[in-house]
Amino acid sequence: MTQTLSIALLTTRPHNGSNKSLIAAARKRGHHIQPFNTLSGVINCDKNSFISQFSKPFDAILPRIGGPLAGFGSAYIRAFETAGVYCVNSAAGILTAHDKFLSGQILSAAGMDIPKTVTLARADFIDDAIKAVGGLPIIVKLLSGTQGNSVIKLDTIAAAQSRLQEIIYARTPFLVQEFIAESSGTDIRAFVVDGHIAGAMERTGPKGEFRSNLHQGGTARPVSLSAKESDMAIKAAHILGLGMAGVDILRTSGGPKLLEVNASPGLVGIESATQIDIAGQIIDAIESRLLPNLKAAQ
């Protein structure tokens, strides 16, 4: 019989589809999994004071932290890390993945092929930014958004000047990225779990929509990855310190380009498209990490 693990599911939405899948997968394997509200409690820098908030220590932390809570949620994870509790995604990894420009810098420095990407802080450099990514049209991403609702395509210089000036004056973090026409409206989501590909899908947006997100009305189908695509996704997750990640890839005539890495990827879309038990693989990976050590300590 498999030894029972105590897992904390760090989330503010325990009843959404992804979290329900994880809870069911853990309980199916005989483990105790407890949703723990990311916003609850007081975080103390003293690891002993922090852990004393809980009646029973957790064996593992499974973070499901969206972008707006990356900072506070990562502080929780850091406290558990300091106390020696295994965390599927590291605090540093979540913070870095949330910052799409910083993560792009890190991944590019590691040799990953990413679209041309820049950022700027003054409106008088807008023309330079457009030239740096290859000219119009351009993609603008607000770094605080999710599910494609803060990704904008700008086709004219007038639209680019107006929208970027507005964003700059509001001091909203953003990036400017080249528009890759040949993959417009389609991308690959590779789901990485503990250094392997758990599943992959191709997402396609509605006709005329350049975004492929399922939340924007897109569709998905299972897809096989090339060796280069698999290596790219696995390496990206490893570089950012993520044991669980959704890695978005564009297929181009020049080879795959890494679009972005998500530290809290949804499970519903990819499980539905591929009919693969991704949640089960996540729990299995936690078992693989912890059970051998627990048995050895007995």
Side-chain angles (χ1 to χ4, degrees), residues 131-144:
K131 291 176 184 177
V133 299
L136 296 166
I138 58 172
I139 298 297
V140 176
K141 295 182 180 180
L142 307 183
L143 301 188
S144 60

Side-chain angles (χ1 to χ4, degrees), residues 179-187 203 210 212 249-252:
F179 174 65
I180 301 177
E182 64 183 300
S183 60
S184 177
T186 300
D187 72 4
R203 304 181 298 188
F210 74 94
S212 61
I249 295 171
L250 299 179
R251 285 178 167 171
T252 76

